[in-house]
Amino acid sequence: MNPPALGVGIVGFGMIGKVHAFAHRSLPLFYDPLPVATRLVGVCTSRPETAEKAQAQAGFDLATTDLAELLEHPGIDIIHCCTPNDAHRDLLLAAIAAGKHVYCDKPLTRTVPEAEEVLAAAIARPERIYRMTFNYRFAPATLRAKQLVEEGFLGEIFQFRGEYLHAGYIDPNRPRSWRTEWARSGGGAVMDLGVHIFDLLRWLVGEMEVESAKLVTRIPSRPHPKTGEPVPVDVDDLAVAQVRTTEGAVGVIEASRLATGVQDELRFEIHGSRGAIAWNLMDPDFLSIYDARIPEGPLGGARGPQRIECVTRYPKPYAFGGTKNTLGWPQLHVHCLYDFIATIAGKADTGPTFTDGLAAQRWVADCQRLGSTLPEWRPS
């Protein structure tokens, strides 16, 4: 007999809330058999009209503007946090107190003290599962990269670099939003994009600390969304950090929302004593590797860069057609969510936790402390 479906409540239904709902709808199509089914029960947004629209779009049973209505619903087992950053802390604490499993889109919270408070609450309620949506861990190529690192393919890691580059803020006439307000976001590019590339690299190369950083705001004001009047921007447009792992490898991590000419450019390179690996989200189907143990030969021999065709070779129970298909960005979210519900069902325990979310929060705070003279960016 199959276990009953897990009821899902999603809080916030902007772009990322829609992605989370899409992932739930996709689970039974992509994975067969599912360790446990899920069902979209409720959605909560800040306005009745957006809640009702979300209900119609995704097929929720319930639409509300009252978070307590979701938390008290006996048919909801999982709460998704898909709100702006300043709402995370209160939502997560309430969901944990209500005894729900929690799936939180990045970042964990807006500040380190908030993240520490949330993690402490989660540790005190260990009977539930709490996970972060660090979806870039869940491409076949990045999963393969993790395998290679754990197998010792790289040998001793010497150096690495990672970048997450967008170009969406190069227009100075783009209106100010919560993402460009310190009080609501807790940071600019370093928070919005940096936590993703930091988490991916930390997962691959290990713990690291920030040695130096530079955070820059190149567009200091933007139009108010209602009045059009210029208002100050008090978060960074771009951030660059030099880091060092506990094993001595040095690295550079960069995040930018002003990288003209790119789309969604998340990429990394890791160099070690035995080999190197590299990946780019804009070419997601292939992991590039270099095996330095292959001997050199006349005219080069067989030594040189190699591209591993990872495409959609997810392990079973992935069952969405063939494994030769190209990878799409939403599939990273679907597989990340699959890992979460498999953990609830006791079939996995590998996904990014709130501890990983706190590590990313601390990295952001260290970059802000070292990287700017602005008081807003220098948390204690």
Side-chain angles (χ1 to χ4, degrees):
M1 183 176 179
N2 293 328
L6 296 169
V8 175
I10 296 182
V11 185
F13 209 73
M15 186 275 282
I16 204 62
K18 293 176 183 177
V19 170
H20 284 220
F22 168 85
H24 275 288
R25 289 293 191 193
S26 300
L27 283 175
L29 302 175
F30 279 74
Y31 303 92
D32 186 15
L34 273 178
V36 61
T38 64
R39 187 170 69 88
L40 296 178
V41 175
V43 62
C44 178
T45 70
S46 59
R47 304 194 309 276
E49 63 270 23
T50 57
E52 291 166 5
K53 183 177 180 180
Q55 181 182 24
Q57 287 179 323
F60 293 96
D61 296 340
L62 166 70
T64 183
T65 60
D66 183 4
L67 174 62
E69 192 170 0
L70 285 195
L71 297 181
E72 295 168 4
H73 195 295
I76 291 180
D77 306 287
I78 299 169
I79 291 292
H80 285 241
C81 178
C82 299
T83 67
N85 302 352
D86 59 324
H88 281 210
R89 179 255 183 195
D90 290 350
L91 165 57
L92 294 172
L93 289 176
I96 293 167
K100 308 297 185 181
H101 303 288
V102 182
Y103 191 65
C104 180
D105 212 282
K106 61 82 187 171
L108 180 57
T109 57
R110 195 180 63 88
T111 68
V112 169
E114 289 179 353
E116 290 173 336
E117 186 180 8
V118 166
L119 178 60
I123 290 172
R125 298 292 297 268
E127 67 275 12
R128 295 293 181 260
I129 302 299
Y130 312 103
R131 290 291 183 267
M132 297 295 302
T133 311
F134 284 140
N135 50 296
Y136 297 111
R137 295 188 184 192
F138 292 96
T142 52
L143 291 167
R144 180 68 179 123
K146 179 68 169 177
Q147 279 185 341
L148 288 169
V149 170
E150 292 181 341
E151 292 168 0
F153 174 81
L154 293 175
E156 179 186 358
I157 296 175
F158 293 144
Q159 66 182 95
F160 56 94
R161 62 193 60 84
E163 300 160 319
Y164 200 173
L165 310 177
H166 278 192
Y169 284 75
I170 61 175
D171 182 0
N173 294 314
R174 177 172 177 169
R176 187 177 184 183
S177 72
W178 69 266
R179 294 183 186 275
T180 55
E181 296 180 40
W182 168 266
R184 298 202 65 196
S185 66
V190 71
M191 182 78 88
D192 192 20
L193 304 175
V195 293
H196 268 307
I197 186 61
F198 165 79
D199 175 75
L200 187 57
L201 285 171
R202 174 176 170 268
W203 182 59
L204 292 171
V205 305
E207 298 292 343
M208 64 184 80
E209 63 180 26
V210 182
E211 295 193 322
S212 65
K214 185 67 175 177
L215 276 66
V216 176
T217 302
R218 293 301 306 270
I219 301 177
S221 67
R222 291 187 178 274
H224 190 281
K226 293 182 179 179
T227 68
E229 294 297 315
V231 288
V233 170
D234 56 359
V235 298
D236 57 290
D237 288 322
L238 58 93
V240 181
Q242 182 174 331
V243 299
R244 181 183 293 270
T245 71
T246 54
E247 301 298 322
V250 296
V252 176
I253 301 177
E254 180 181 353
S256 175
R257 301 196 291 207
L258 299 180
T260 306
V262 305
Q263 297 299 317
D264 196 24
E265 193 89 5
L266 183 149
R267 59 197 185 208
F268 66 79
E269 297 177 1
I270 307 172
H271 304 272
S273 59
R274 297 177 182 173
I277 57 176
W279 185 69
N280 190 326
L281 178 61
M282 298 307 289
D283 186 19
D285 298 310
F286 296 91
L287 179 69
S288 296
I289 67 170
Y290 184 95
D291 191 344
R293 295 167 296 182
I294 297 174
E296 295 181 344
L299 303 178
R303 191 174 187 177
Q306 176 188 347
R307 278 160 57 89
I308 300 176
E309 48 186 34
C310 299
V311 284
T312 52
R313 290 191 169 92
Y314 287 114
K316 293 183 181 302
Y318 183 80
F320 189 70
T323 55
K324 299 178 181 180
N325 307 108
T326 55
L327 183 72
W329 179 81
Q331 282 184 260
L332 308 184
H333 276 279
V334 177
H335 199 70
C336 187
L337 179 62
Y338 167 77
D339 185 89
F340 171 62
I341 65 112
T343 302
I344 293 174
K347 303 295 185 181
D349 191 15
T350 58
T353 67
F354 281 10
T355 298
D356 298 310
L358 174 58
Q361 206 84 46
R362 286 175 171 160
W363 177 80
V364 168
D366 287 343
C367 289
Q368 292 168 333
R369 176 175 53 84
L370 295 170
S372 175
T373 58
L374 294 179
E376 298 94 335
W377 293 359
R378 302 189 69 180
S380 58

